[in-house]
Amino acid sequence: MSQPSLMTIPGQVDPVPVARDITPRADGRVDLIGLPRPRIRELFEQAGLDARQAKLRAKQVFHWLYHRGVTEFEAMTDIAKTMRPWLAERFVIGRPDVVEAQHSSDGTRKWLLRTGDGHDFEMVFIPDETRGTLCISSQVGCTLNCTFCHTGTMRLVRNLTPGEIVGQVMLARDALGEWPRGTMAGLDAVEDDRGHYTADGRLLTNIVLMGMGEPLYNFDHVRDALHLIMDGDGLGLSKRRITLSTSGVIPMMERCGEEIGVNLAVSLHAVRKEVRDEIVPLNRKYGIEELLAACADYPGASNARRITFEYVMLRDKNDSDEDARELVRLLRKYDLPAKVNLIPFNPWPGAGYECSSPERIQAFSDIVFEGGISAPVRTPRGRDIDAACGQLRTAAEKKSRAQRDREARESEATAAPFA
């Protein structure tokens, strides 16, 4: 029989590498982060606990993992001391490895992270006066090849597992110091009568899946991770505070609305076929009109929960008055509850595009506003550390350890506190 890797599959195949739900560890232990209660219970039973004991321990461990953010079994104070070493021998509470952490002059933070099997990806935290937004990745590299996006120049390595996706949120909470106290003592001072807590430091209020990768080409793992993030007994973030961005993987959009139910953002970026074919090649498979029809059918979309259309402003490519008017026409045609985010192009080495002038961007915005559609201009954040929209790419992996350490010291010396 020929090797499976050499066998061809007839027909058009979407590039969706299916990763395992748990990345194997060299020491044989199982990382519990990213696993729901039933899966934890199953693993405990396989490890030797009876069904009743496994159910109890799974409930306790789930609470400590996702509600309190502990990283050691020894901190789980309502589990018997004799039980904690048993857990530590068989399981681990993981976080992505931090290769490099950078601070921007505007307060944005970017982390270069590494999976257990040695692949690098990035996440970004953007603080504002009224919110703190975490931009997380769903793949190592990217399935798509959008020509204006630096991430799109990377090859796709693999999908991130649910644990690697949830782990980004947990790592950010670690860094921002917003977990409740890790002991059972004094909870009345921390939690209200509904079990919620007030965090120390800047509260992470919003999550956007706008980092590396196309989330809908890793649908199952993204869905499972977001269910843990939204679980009221776990991380407890409302689905209204989570936005998933897609370039237009139409077959998965309805499932996204039905099975996840988070806000939808669509990377539109052009309203003419020939232009979108160039800068968002997925358009050659799923065209603009088909995409907008799918947006109109997105479950839960309403004036209270508008779909966000992301539109990067490229000089002399997609920024004319005619483009603005066509954008208004299309959104009105499909009666979409829409908001347009105009994104000044963030340059990167070798990019074949330039950013539209501020005057041109404002003129474009004015036309869309006059058409009755909100079209704010996004303020670029984190440009000095390549953390802005479209700039994520793990070039930092090529740096020497000494260089990374030196840059980290310089960044920490100039970084403003997050209090």
Side-chain angles (χ1 to χ4, degrees):
M1 180 181 292
S2 37
Q3 296 181 8
S5 60
L6 301 179
M7 295 175 65
T8 60
I9 302 175
Q12 185 171 7
V13 179
D14 283 328
V16 190
V18 180
R20 57 274 179 193
D21 65 338
I22 302 173
T23 300
R25 291 174 51 90
D27 61 11
R29 294 187 294 169
V30 176
D31 190 347
L32 295 180
I33 295 300
L35 304 183
R37 272 170 300 230
R39 183 82 164 100
I40 295 174
R41 175 183 176 178
E42 176 185 307
L43 289 171
F44 286 178
E45 287 191 43
Q46 292 173 1
L49 296 183
D50 62 47
R52 181 179 178 184
Q53 182 90 330
K55 181 178 180 180
L56 172 63
R57 297 307 181 199
K59 180 179 179 180
Q60 291 173 312
V61 168
F62 185 91
H63 174 83
W64 284 105
L65 293 179
Y66 297 114
H67 188 69
R68 304 217 173 272
V70 302
T71 56
E72 300 290 341
F73 292 106
E74 192 58 38
M76 299 181 179
T77 53
D78 61 342
I79 295 178
K81 287 186 178 181
T82 54
M83 186 69 187
R84 297 175 213 165
W86 183 92
L87 289 167
E89 288 172 8
R90 294 162 176 79
F91 305 99
V92 67
I93 304 168
R95 296 286 192 273
D97 291 331
V98 178
V99 179
E100 181 178 34
Q102 295 176 279
H103 293 72
S104 169
S105 58
D106 63 22
T108 300
R109 298 178 68 172
K110 182 174 78 168
W111 289 268
L112 175 65
L113 307 175
R114 182 163 293 162
T115 66
D117 54 353
H119 300 302
D120 291 355
F121 61 102
E122 294 180 324
M123 74 172 184
V124 175
F125 179 73
I126 306 166
D128 287 307
E129 290 185 5
T130 59
R131 67 173 61 187
T133 301
L134 185 69
C135 177
I136 63 176
S137 295
S138 57
Q139 295 179 313
V140 180
C142 188
T143 313
L144 307 177
N145 302 106
C146 300
T147 56
F148 65 89
C149 178
H150 202 193
T151 312
T153 66
M154 298 179 64
R155 69 182 181 91
L156 176 66
V157 178
R158 70 166 173 84
N159 288 334
L160 292 176
T161 66
E164 290 159 349
I165 296 170
V166 174
Q168 296 172 66
V169 182
M170 303 183 79
L171 182 63
R173 281 195 164 179
D174 293 343
L176 300 173
E178 69 169 35
W179 294 108
R181 279 176 254 175
T183 72
M184 301 302 284
L187 287 183
D188 291 343
V190 180
E191 300 192 11
D192 63 21
D193 58 1
R194 293 177 296 173
H196 297 161
Y197 64 88
T198 301
D200 296 325
R202 178 176 293 276
L203 190 64
L204 192 164
T205 62
N206 293 73
I207 293 173
V208 294
L209 282 94
M210 298 181 182
M212 297 169 62
E214 165 54 63
L216 295 188
Y217 273 141
N218 186 16
F219 179 82
D220 289 350
H221 288 175
V222 166
R223 177 199 58 207
D224 294 348
L226 290 182
H227 283 174
L228 289 171
I229 292 170
M230 296 184 291
D231 192 313
D233 294 328
L235 293 171
L237 195 68
S238 168
K239 65 182 180 181
R240 295 182 180 274
R241 292 187 174 273
I242 300 173
T243 300
L244 183 149
S245 177
T246 178
S247 291
V249 185
I250 290 174
M252 305 306 298
M253 287 172 59
E254 184 175 4
R255 284 189 63 190
C256 178
E258 293 176 345
E259 297 180 31
I260 306 177
V262 295
N263 301 318
L264 183 69
V266 174
S267 296
L268 188 61
H269 305 309
V271 291
R272 288 177 284 137
K273 181 184 186 310
E274 66 276 11
V275 176
R276 196 165 192 264
D277 280 353
E278 173 192 334
I279 65 177
V280 185
L282 186 64
N283 194 70
R284 300 168 192 164
K285 183 172 184 181
Y286 305 120
I288 295 173
E289 300 266 357
E290 187 181 0
L291 172 58
L292 295 179
C295 290
D297 293 335
Y298 185 73
S302 66
N303 287 329
R305 296 188 65 195
R306 293 176 293 174
I307 294 175
T308 299
F309 290 91
E310 298 158 329
Y311 199 100
V312 65
M313 299 300 295
L314 304 173
R315 183 191 298 270
D316 299 328
K317 179 64 67 172
N318 63 353
D319 63 350
S320 68
D321 288 354
E322 291 74 18
D323 289 319
R325 295 189 186 100
E326 177 64 5
L327 176 58
V328 171
R329 186 192 72 80
L330 285 169
L331 297 182
R332 282 183 164 180
K333 175 182 176 180
Y334 289 93
D335 194 24
L336 284 164
K339 179 180 95 170
V340 178
N341 268 347
L342 300 180
I343 306 168
F345 173 65
N346 295 302
W348 43 270
Y353 304 99
E354 296 180 11
C355 183
S356 306
S357 69
E359 296 77 17
R360 178 90 298 271
I361 296 175
Q362 189 58 55
F364 193 103
S365 175
D366 290 344
I367 292 172
V368 180
F369 266 116
E370 289 167 5
I373 300 166
S374 176
V377 179
R378 182 186 295 176
T379 302
R381 300 290 299 274
R383 273 182 168 176
D384 56 328
I385 57 171
D386 291 336
C389 181
Q391 288 187 314
L392 296 190
R393 192 181 193 280
T394 55
E397 65 189 346
K398 301 177 182 178
K399 298 179 182 178
S400 68
R401 169 55 61 184
Q403 182 181 357
R404 284 198 291 263
D405 289 345
R406 182 172 62 255
E407 291 179 355
R409 287 193 298 271
E410 292 172 353
S411 178
E412 289 172 1
T414 59
F418 279 89

